Amino acid sequence: MKNITKIQLGQNGPFVSRLGLGCMRMSSIWGGSTPNEVESIATIHEALDNGINFLNTGDFYGAGHNEMLISKAIKGRRNDAFISVKFGAIFHNGQPLGMDLRPISIKNFVNYSLTRLGIETIDLYQPSRMDNSVPVEDIIGTVADLVKEGKVRYIGVSEISAGQLRKANSIHPISALEIGYSLADRQVEDELLPTAKQLGIGVVAFANTAEGFLTGQMTAPLPADDYRIHFTRFQEENLSHNLKKVEVLKQLAENKGCTPTQLAIAWVKEQGDHIMPLVSMSRRSRLPENIAAMSIVFTKEEMNVLNTTFAKGAIWGGTYLQR
Ligand SMILES: NC(=O)c1ccc[n+]([C@@H]2O[C@H](COP(=O)([O-])OP(=O)(O)OC[C@H]3O[C@@H](n4cnc5c(N)ncnc54)[C@H](OP(=O)(O)O)[C@@H]3O)[C@@H](O)[C@H]2O)c1
């Protein structure tokens, strides 16, 4: 590890980089080719060179394309990378159809992922959501069998309720909870994050910029072809209201000599030693800025400004995280 400190995921879990690399946006949701595969692979290489070993993917990202991309990037350097894979989400033509977490399906999915990734063992394997038609015991029990078989090293979960997290952890130790968390999305602070902390489960926090909203680069109205226009948070009076909050973030960033994105990532990191920011970066130019965010600290007053401006309910409307 070079520039990045480590974090332990779960009480007896792995030590990984404190900043994770989200690879989702390196693949098209429809599958097939990416906007810039060469740059994506170069970004993974540069992240690994900087000690960012946590690579996050899903078997449904680009209909398997994302795993094949990672496979190319880690050729010859498997030991530098910690690979986290989500599974179970079923898509058709880029549209979500639901979840399939039947034991026979999980056993099938894992072999395809291993083949696409070109590896023997997945470091962290996690259902991307729960499947209400399958008991949690069967889902986690099946992944636990994969651990015994040596196909999976650690078990994670993603976007689940506090009750489901407790249940899952009672069946097999859960190392990590992957969850959307940012200044703009704090509802998980009520029950889910305290439960993870109490159970000693690491938190892999994604969407730190809330779909780019906290980068300070969003302007109103969004162009008609911007996918984010479908989220109520980014529509009409909600957007004008919400952008005023971002002005406070921008001002604080200017005062501290950093960027709003860095503050958004640093705020997540400051919420607990067991919380890891997982950030999408599809180009090398993102790395220096986001790595530097991991060294930012806040005064009490600065934290107070952020927590007051972005108190729960301060941001109007939602994104897919509130579904
Ligand atoms: N478990 C789940 O349900 C779930 C759901 C969604 C995502 N995820 C995982 O979490 C990762 C992160 O989530 P996310 O992509 O939704 O959120 P994010 O990390 O907040 O990224 C949103 C956007 O911010 C951009 N960005 C990154 N650094 C920036 C910077 N310094 N300045 C300006 N823009 C910057 C990225 O652009 P570029 O990519 O173009 O560099 C990306 O388009 C994903 O890659 C995926 O692995 C998990």
Side-chain angles (χ1 to χ4, degrees):
M1 296 266 159
K2 287 186 189 155
N3 303 334
I4 299 287
T5 54
K6 289 182 189 173
I7 182 173
Q8 186 174 21
L9 296 179
Q11 279 165 342
N12 299 306
F15 284 88
V16 298
S17 54
R18 185 82 201 273
L19 176 65
L21 177 65
C23 299
M24 177 181 77
R25 294 176 195 260
M26 296 177 181
S27 294
S28 143
I29 191 166
W30 301 96
S33 63
T34 55
N36 192 339
E37 186 162 316
V38 173
E39 180 62 22
S40 293
I41 290 176
T43 304
I44 295 176
H45 286 164
E46 203 161 303
L48 295 175
D49 292 344
N50 278 282
I52 298 174
N53 72 339
F54 188 97
L55 307 182
N56 184 271
T57 185
D59 62 8
F60 49 93
Y61 288 174
H65 175 273
N66 207 247
E67 291 177 318
M68 293 191 285
L69 180 88
I70 290 176
S71 171
K72 284 187 201 167
I74 61 166
K75 233 182 188 71
R77 48 191 313 186
R78 170 68 182 102
N79 292 337
D80 292 346
F82 180 95
I83 299 176
S84 163
V85 180
K86 287 183 295 301
F87 64 88
I90 304 299
F91 280 76
H92 180 63
N93 293 338
Q95 299 302 322
L97 297 184
M99 294 297 298
D100 180 359
L101 295 180
R102 292 171 298 158
I104 54 164
S105 304
I106 298 175
K107 286 178 182 158
N108 181 54
F109 295 150
V110 74
N111 293 306
Y112 282 79
S113 282
L114 288 168
T115 301
R116 283 189 292 259
L117 286 160
I119 59 179
E120 309 269 304
T121 309
I122 292 170
D123 296 309
L124 182 69
Y125 200 47
Q126 40 191 25
S128 66
R129 300 282 185 277
M130 281 293 144
D131 174 349
N132 292 332
S133 65
V134 184
V136 177
E137 289 89 331
D138 292 355
I139 299 167
I140 300 301
T142 304
V143 188
D145 287 345
L146 299 178
V147 173
K148 283 187 208 131
E149 280 187 60
K151 291 183 173 175
V152 166
R153 206 161 277 148
Y154 298 100
I155 304 181
V157 290
S158 167
E159 288 291 322
I160 67 172
S161 69
Q164 288 168 328
L165 184 61
R166 280 189 193 285
K167 181 90 204 164
N169 194 57
S170 72
I171 295 155
H172 186 282
I174 300 297
S175 298
L177 161 71
E178 190 173 309
I179 196 82
Y181 186 38
S182 74
L183 275 165
D185 291 289
R186 303 181 59 180
Q187 62 283 358
V188 292
E189 290 175 356
D190 293 340
E191 210 187 344
L192 190 54
L193 291 185
T195 303
K197 188 163 187 192
Q198 190 202 12
L199 298 174
I201 295 171
V203 175
V204 175
F206 67 89
N208 298 177
T209 69
E211 299 293 323
F213 169 60
L214 300 171
T215 61
Q217 291 161 18
M218 186 180 273
T219 50
L222 290 184
D225 62 353
D226 189 320
Y227 75 95
R228 297 173 297 181
I229 207 164
H230 301 293
F231 299 134
T232 55
R233 176 171 298 172
F234 305 130
Q235 295 166 359
E236 299 162 4
E237 67 269 22
N238 282 354
L239 182 55
S240 340
H241 167 87
N242 295 336
L243 284 176
K244 285 187 200 131
K245 308 285 176 189
V246 176
E247 284 306 314
V248 177
L249 183 72
K250 282 163 92 170
Q251 188 56 57
L252 185 59
E254 197 180 318
N255 297 348
K256 279 178 82 69
C258 63
T259 66
T261 308
Q262 287 179 314
L263 285 193
I265 295 169
W267 180 87
V268 171
K269 179 250 313 173
E270 288 293 286
Q271 301 315 304
D273 290 343
H274 63 304
I275 299 181
M276 163 214 269
L278 169 66
V279 184
S280 271
M281 291 175 261
S282 308
R283 54 198 95 175
R284 282 167 286 180
S285 57
R286 304 282 196 215
L287 283 160
E289 181 180 341
N290 295 348
I291 289 171
M294 301 304 287
S295 307
I296 291 177
V297 287
F298 296 93
T299 63
K300 250 191 190 152
E301 292 71 31
E302 290 166 344
M303 203 41 115
N304 201 20
V305 168
L306 288 177
N307 284 332
T308 309
T309 307
F310 293 93
K312 260 173 264 168
I315 299 301
W316 293 355
T319 63
Y320 72 96
L321 287 175
Q322 286 75 34
R323 265 191 312 212

